[in-house]
Amino acid sequence: MDNPLVMDVGTLKAIAQQLRQPEGEQGIQLAKKMNEGNLYINRFTIDALQLRSNEHVLEIGMGNGFFVKDILSIDDSLRYAGCDFSPVMVEEARIVNKKFIQSKRAQFHLAPADELPFQNEAFDKVFTVNTIYFWEDVGRVFSEIRRVLRPEGRLVISLRPKSIMKHYPLARFGFRLFSKEDISQLIKKNSFVIKDVIEKKEPDQEINGAKVPVETLVLIAGK
C-alpha cells in the first residue's frame, strides 16, 4: 500500500484485487511486501491468541505463511493449520513452511473462509488478520468458525480500523471498512461474545508523501 495515489484507478483496482486474492508473480511479490507492512499487526495478534501447550490453531487467510514460524516457535507442541482461497499463496506457504509440514506441525489448505475443510470443534484458537474486509458472506464465515472452534476456544480478528483505512485509496475498491463499534456489533450479531478489544499504535507510514498514523484493532471473542 505504499504511495498508492500516484497510480491510476485501473492500477489501484488491480492491486486491491491482488490484496484480496493474490495471483501470479505480482501476487507473490505483493505478499512479501505486505509481510513488512503487517509485521506489527501480526505480532499483536499472536500475543492476543495466548497460545498454550498442545493447542491446535487455525489461521484464515494466511497468505504466504510468513508468520507461521512465529507461532510455532512459542511451544514445540503447538499445531497450526492455515487456509486461503488463493492457490499461489497456499503453494508459497507450503514452500516457506516445508520443515513444519514435514514435522507434521503445520498444514495448508486451499479453501474459502465460508467452507472450512475441518471437522467440528477441531481448533482451540482461530484467527484472521486483515481479511474481514473481503468476506462476501459474513454470516456463513462466522458460522463456519463457530463450527470448527471448540467450546472454550478463542477467536481473534485483527484489522485496521476505518479511521486508518480511509487514508488508503485502495480501500475504495472491494474493501468493507469497520470502526471498532461496527466490528463489535458484527461479532455479537453472529453469536459470539466479545472478551476483549485491543487498540495498538504502530509506527507511522508514509502515504501520499505524508506521514499518517497506523493502528491495529484486535477483537477477542468466544462462543
Side-chain angles (χ1 to χ4, degrees), residues 101-145:
I101 295 173
Q102 291 176 337
S103 64
K104 301 188 184 304
R105 296 188 63 203
Q107 54 182 263
F108 300 91
H109 300 265
L110 178 62
D114 59 1
E115 293 182 20
L116 299 175
F118 307 107
Q119 295 181 348
N120 295 349
E121 300 182 1
F123 297 96
D124 301 283
K125 307 286 172 64
V126 176
F127 75 101
T128 189
V129 178
N130 281 341
T131 71
I132 195 168
Y133 322 115
F134 309 118
W135 293 359
E136 293 182 0
D137 190 336
V138 173
R140 185 173 172 84
V141 176
F142 274 111
S143 179
E144 277 290 89
I145 293 172

Side-chain angles (χ1 to χ4, degrees), residues 52-105:
R52 301 174 182 175
S53 298
N54 298 305
E55 287 190 326
H56 197 186
V57 58
L58 168 64
E59 181 175 9
I60 296 173
M62 78 283 158
N64 64 9
F66 179 79
F67 294 98
V68 173
K69 66 184 187 310
D70 299 275
I71 294 169
L72 295 182
S73 66
I74 293 173
D75 190 290
D76 289 342
S77 66
L78 290 171
R79 292 177 298 138
Y80 169 99
C83 67
D84 203 294
F85 76 149
S86 165
V88 70
M89 287 297 97
V90 174
E91 182 180 354
E92 286 294 297
R94 288 171 176 165
I95 294 170
V96 170
N97 295 284
K98 183 177 179 180
K99 68 175 183 178
F100 293 126
I101 295 173
Q102 291 176 337
S103 64
K104 301 188 184 304
R105 296 188 63 203

Side-chain angles (χ1 to χ4, degrees), residues 136-204:
E136 293 182 0
D137 190 336
V138 173
R140 185 173 172 84
V141 176
F142 274 111
S143 179
E144 277 290 89
I145 293 172
R146 188 173 183 81
R147 180 182 65 78
V148 302
L149 187 64
R150 290 173 182 159
E152 300 302 319
R154 171 176 287 226
L155 168 62
V156 177
I157 297 177
S158 299
L159 65 154
R160 309 272 190 223
K162 184 187 295 185
S163 59
I164 297 300
M165 291 297 292
K166 69 182 182 180
H167 293 290
Y168 297 97
L170 289 167
R172 290 182 290 151
F173 306 105
F175 286 69
R176 180 181 177 186
L177 306 185
F178 300 89
S179 66
K180 178 173 65 174
E181 293 73 24
D182 294 334
I183 189 65
S184 297
Q185 290 176 7
L186 186 65
I187 290 171
K188 293 174 183 176
K189 179 181 177 181
N190 284 279
S191 303
F192 280 87
V193 177
I194 294 177
K195 304 291 186 179
D196 198 7
V197 178
I198 300 169
E199 296 174 273
K200 292 276 194 178
K201 299 286 187 181
E202 296 186 36
D204 292 350

